[in-house]
Amino acid sequence: QVQLVESGGGLVQAGGSLRLSCVASGIIFNRNTMGWYRQAPGKPRELVATTTSTSSTNYADSVKDRFTISRDNAKNTVYLQMNSLKPEDTAVYYCRIDVLGYTYWGQGTQVTVSS
């Protein structure tokens, strides 16, 4: 059974920072693509950043130069360091893994940025 557990969300003022973590279990961690997505109220879920098993990364234009995705294969964990947060970054952030043709999601963690 594949499980993803996110943590690290919370309330922060504009300009602040947060670090999200996602621990994966039940998969071969070093043969997948992991990513962070977010969904704001009334909007579709959107890609934030992804990282492959070779640590290649991809970012949404809206978060480039502010967010950094990284992974620790030994801990089966992917991180999202979010700096210079803006009120428009407010959303539920979801961790996702694509492995062997299957996609799995975490339960989400709320990030709220106040102005």
Side-chain angles (χ1 to χ4, degrees):
Q1 182 71 20
V2 175
Q3 284 193 319
L4 302 172
V5 179
E6 301 111 329
S7 61
L11 173 64
V12 64
Q13 289 188 332
S17 298
L18 283 174
R19 188 191 196 202
L20 305 183
S21 300
C22 173
V23 180
S25 61
I27 61 174
I28 301 172
F29 186 77
N30 61 353
R31 293 183 181 181
N32 56 61
T33 297
M34 300 193 73
W36 289 95
Y37 292 71
R38 67 186 181 187
Q39 187 166 20
K43 295 187 177 181
R45 192 171 297 187
E46 63 177 3
L47 179 147
V48 176
T50 60
T51 177
T52 68
S53 56
T54 58
S55 296
S56 175
T57 58
N58 179 52
Y59 295 91
D61 288 342
S62 59
V63 306
K64 280 181 181 176
D65 301 323
R66 299 189 298 123
F67 292 9
T68 302
I69 190 170
S70 61
R71 60 193 291 165
D72 185 335
N73 290 345
K75 296 182 179 180
N76 288 352
T77 301
V78 64
Y79 305 96
L80 185 68
Q81 178 66 44
M82 304 185 293
N83 299 328
S84 302
L85 282 160
K86 305 176 181 180
E88 52 263 44
D89 294 319
T90 295
V92 178
Y93 283 70
Y94 296 91
C95 179
R96 165 176 159 170
I97 287 183
D98 294 278
V99 55
L100 300 178
Y102 294 91
T103 297
Y104 302 93
W105 293 92
Q107 81 287 353
T109 184
Q110 177 71 46
V111 171
T112 302
V113 184
S114 62
S115 58

